[in-house]
Amino acid sequence: IMINAPGGILFQKYCETMGQLLDLFKDKEEHHVDFQIDFENAVPSDAERDLFDQINAVLERSEGIVETLSNYAGCSEFIKNAIQEPSEDNDKRAWEALVPAVGQLEEFFNFSIELQEIVPDLVVRLCIGGGTLENQQALAMLLAKLFNFVLKFDDAKMVNPHITNDFSYYRRSLSKNKVDWDESRGTRIPDDVANKMCLFYANATPMMNVLVDTLTNNDAQLPQREVVVGMSLMANVCLNMGKNYDSSQQEELKMFCFRAMTASIIIVDFVNPEGVFGRKSPVNIKSAILALRGDTDGQCEGLLNALKYTTKHLNDQDTPNTIKNLLA
């Protein structure tokens, strides 16, 4: 091949092309994983047992919380009647409907606090404490379950406008002294807790926001590099596994992997100062997006939206246009 002298245009383009090829091979090597995680039948080792039992006791309630949220019908009709036709009876009916409903919202919020408490220990063990995803598969399975809960919860919350409407009316009613509180109505939510609940539900993706805040909080003192490496590995493992589930019988497992992958990507984008979308991303980000886009039944639309709207660095100047266009 004839190449002109150093400094010439052809020489520069040759160097750029060779650099891109070297980067391509390097990226493939960095993103390569040669193991899978048994998300169905992983059994904790003796070393994992104590932490596994502690975290599993919390996560055992997660499916019930998602189901309760998905079935949350709200109190809009009662509130509407109380506003449009003010009367003591309508106020009473609205309040009687609100008290148990707001009790459920408080339960969801309290569960987010429990997640805040267990996430650092789990991440430390998997990313920092000398163990790995491969040799601590039961704990890795719990992390994937936690990620699945977070994205399912946020999806259900996002399509339910009753939550913020109900809680706003509840607070307005208390502030205007429209109701006289007594213990027969249930336990009143303290004002400081109610303020925190307002902030929680005002976020479009409250559980993911809790997860990100927990892992980026300086008080947690989690080593940034180790978390990025561990969560990137989780994303790449889940990507490879999800792509291998192609039969209808394996659809649930595929979505389980893709949710865990998506949550891992979001975390890496917040923890890593350079984000997750750049050319030197520790995650095989283009393949991940293409895998989600390859879904034809719409199940991955929410995951694509999570990458588009919940991440931090997508619109950075350093993000390649190919990645931006895939999520456009």
Side-chain angles (χ1 to χ4, degrees), residues 117-129:
E117 294 171 351
I118 64 173
V119 164
D121 289 340
L122 182 57
V123 170
V124 165
R125 180 69 70 86
L126 287 171
C127 302
I128 303 161

Side-chain angles (χ1 to χ4, degrees), residues 17-35:
T17 301
M18 292 304 297
Q20 290 171 356
L21 287 173
L22 289 173
D23 284 344
L24 176 63
F25 291 128
K26 182 181 178 183
D27 287 347
K28 285 186 175 181
E29 183 179 347
E30 287 179 349
H31 298 147
H32 175 71
V33 289
D34 57 3
F35 70 93

Side-chain angles (χ1 to χ4, degrees), residues 30-94:
E30 287 179 349
H31 298 147
H32 175 71
V33 289
D34 57 3
F35 70 93
Q36 295 187 339
I37 300 172
D38 187 352
F39 286 136
E40 295 181 278
N41 303 302
V43 176
S45 63
D46 291 342
E48 295 173 272
R49 173 60 67 181
D50 288 346
L51 184 58
F52 179 92
D53 288 345
Q54 174 192 345
I55 293 173
N56 193 49
V58 175
L59 293 182
E60 279 180 342
R61 301 181 355 246
S62 63
E63 289 187 12
I65 286 176
V66 171
E67 183 178 359
T68 302
L69 175 59
S70 299
N71 294 326
Y72 186 90
C75 310
S76 57
E77 285 301 314
F78 296 100
I79 294 172
K80 180 180 177 181
N81 291 336
I83 293 174
Q84 293 184 350
E85 301 178 22
S87 70
E88 186 175 339
D89 285 343
N90 282 343
D91 283 347
K92 182 179 179 180
R93 292 189 187 97

